[in-house]
Amino acid sequence: MSRWFGPATVRVIEHQAAVQRRFWRGSVFGYVLNPVLFLAAMGFGVGGLVAEGSGKVDGVTYLAFVTPGLMAAAAMQTAAGESLWPVMAGMKWLRTYHAMITTPLGPADVFAGIVTWTGLRATAGGLVFVAVGAALGGVRSPWAPLAAGVAGLTAAAFAAPLAAFAATQETDARFPVIMRVGIVPLFLFSGTFFPVAQLPAVLRPARFASPLWYGVELARAATLGRWDPTLPVKAAVLVAVILAAGVWGRRTFTRRLVQ
Amino acid sequence: MTTPLVEAEGLVKRFGDLVAVAGIDVRVEAGEAFGFLGPNGAGKTSTMRMIACVSPPSAGRLRVLGMDPLRDGPRIRARLGVVHQEDTLDLELTVRENLLIFGRYFSLPRPVIRARADELLAFVQLTDRADDRVDALSGGMRRRLAIARALINEPELLLLDEPTTGLDPQARHLVWDRLHELKATGTTLVLTTHYMDEAEQLCDRLVIMDGGRIVAEGSPRDLIERHVGREVVDLRFTDDTERDAALTRIGTDGVRAEVLPRRLVAYTDDGDRLVAGLGTAGLHPAAMVVRRAGLEDVFLTLTGRSLEE
């Protein structure tokens, strides 16, 4: 088996970047427009209602509360979009992965490359989010740029298991189910839009099973500049998810491509 | 003597209970054009995948460029070119971008890739399409681009899986033309095909595969002369009684024939003489063609089946 990360991984990232470059106008538009729209709607719209009611959420304005939540959730969305259908395309529809592995690259390099690329894209998206958030007044701490790194880590924690899974599938029939039953509930209930404390007590522990919750917690700590001793543990959980899914994905990619 | 580029002994590929390749011996020397000819399901593609080091052999011994594919896969693949049966191009990228990106997989420096890309685009006659997206290209152009892409690392061995399947006749001739050019400049080619004309056109030497086994090996001329003879007389009858009468008649001359429903395919060195003999005996087939023997006839003789079923 090849290395987890090395020059071969970078070659795959170069490919992903070349494909992305064809669509850069569209994606830059999305990178900037999405945060602006979401922060405007949630921060000012919902935030205005909150200000009239309880005033603050978790001790800060609603805009400041929701900005890191939306940032981490956007990273998850990016990962879901990059790791299901595009992987099926590489394996089956366009078969570009089959071309890659006729070169010195191997299946594990392809897997590591697309997961890393997704992490990098989400990091870039996170930086834009931090900038837009700062401009709108939702980001206060000098530590906020770290939240972009959290976005990258969160994206990788989704990209790795989703790509690993996609490699086991013959069709994309289950992908919409994953989006509806997996991604959408996590998006809504991982402390993204409201504190988990608002949930009924029986449901609250479920947050520990959501990789997004760890990402939201870490991003929020960064944008609000709040340190607490559980943060390294939360970061370690995301890393553990990436490593465990890495073991799985290296295996499923190899099994699918090298027969 | 130099090391063969491909050397297989007792090579086997199994998928669960299915035996795709049932123990084959193959040697490909530098500079030759070597073919695997056979019908679909004969094990050609499985063999190619093993040689391309993207499919571990289930049993047997395989050396490619003198190395072990299991241990040295990436090092071997760095010196191979592979053209797949189906398109594996990046459709959303331009023709040139496909070459530039692929060159990077071999960690070649960008200026080197750019120079080679220009040469290769000229070689496959796609220079004027260099900045078009691949999804705008015809099937024949895509195949030529796939060949150009497989040459970006200046491979010592070019593997082509069914290089002209699905192409129209004109596009096929353009591909053949390019492959002849590569042959002439000394590139070693290994290709699979189920087209006899392709095998006869391109291959110096070939093996005929059927059911995962090699049933014959040699140059196209060699195989035809050894297994069939120079000419083929293809006879059609209105019923099988007439056919059997003709079979008995030609059998007395020691001519061998393949018996098919209302049809005889007779192998001889003198077709006209056979036809004259049938006339003398008062036998008049409904249709009759005398032609040069080809690899199709070799396949029919060896397996009792037609290649293009």
Side-chain angles (χ1 to χ4, degrees), chain A residues 69-89:
Chain A
L70 285 170
M71 186 191 303
M76 175 185 73
Q77 303 275 36
T78 299
E82 289 280 320
S83 317
L84 292 171
W85 287 274
V87 168
M88 187 57 79

Side-chain angles (χ1 to χ4, degrees), chain A residues 86 88-99, chain B residues 86-92:
Chain A
M88 187 57 79
M91 296 280 177
K92 195 169 170 183
W93 297 332
L94 300 178
R95 302 177 64 84
T96 43
Y97 296 169
H98 293 270
Chain B
E86 331 82 354
D87 277 333
T88 57
L89 299 163
D90 271 297
L91 298 184
E92 64 271 28

Side-chain angles (χ1 to χ4, degrees), chain A residues 217-229:
Chain A
E217 288 286 298
L218 290 164
R220 194 162 280 143
T223 61
L224 298 180
R226 289 176 178 169
W227 166 261
D228 83 76

Side-chain angles (χ1 to χ4, degrees), chain A residues 2 7-8 10-12 14-23 93-107 109 254 256-259, chain B residues 13 15 49 52-56 73-75 77-78 80 82 84 86-94 97 101-102 104-108 110 131 133 149:
Chain A
S2 57
V10 180
R11 304 293 167 247
V12 179
E14 286 181 41
H15 168 263
Q16 301 293 99
V19 173
Q20 187 65 46
R21 205 167 51 214
R22 307 278 327 163
F23 307 109
W93 297 332
L94 300 178
R95 302 177 64 84
T96 43
Y97 296 169
H98 293 270
M100 286 182 183
I101 63 156
T102 63
T103 73
L105 307 183
D109 301 317
T254 303
R256 181 65 175 265
L257 292 170
V258 177
Q259 289 169 352
Chain B
K13 184 70 197 184
F15 298 100
R49 288 175 52 82
C53 310
V54 296
S55 170
R75 275 174 62 202
R77 293 198 301 268
L80 297 182
V82 178
H84 286 99
E86 331 82 354
D87 277 333
T88 57
L89 299 163
D90 271 297
L91 298 184
E92 64 271 28
L93 298 183
T94 67
E97 284 172 333
I101 276 296
F102 211 73
R104 290 296 296 157
Y105 296 164
F106 295 92
S107 299
L108 299 169
R110 287 191 177 81
D131 299 314
R133 280 167 53 125
R149 189 178 69 167

Side-chain angles (χ1 to χ4, degrees), chain A residues 31-121:
Chain A
Y31 274 140
V32 179
L33 198 68
N34 262 334
V36 171
L37 290 178
F38 265 97
L39 289 178
M42 293 294 152
F44 297 132
V46 180
L49 291 175
V50 174
E52 285 168 24
S54 63
K56 303 252 169 180
V57 180
D58 206 9
V60 294
T61 64
Y62 186 65
L63 179 66
F65 176 83
V66 85
T67 298
L70 285 170
M71 186 191 303
M76 175 185 73
Q77 303 275 36
T78 299
E82 289 280 320
S83 317
L84 292 171
W85 287 274
V87 168
M88 187 57 79
M91 296 280 177
K92 195 169 170 183
W93 297 332
L94 300 178
R95 302 177 64 84
T96 43
Y97 296 169
H98 293 270
M100 286 182 183
I101 63 156
T102 63
T103 73
L105 307 183
D109 301 317
V110 177
F111 172 76
I114 58 174
V115 171
T116 311
W117 166 251
T118 306
L120 290 175
R121 259 197 71 179

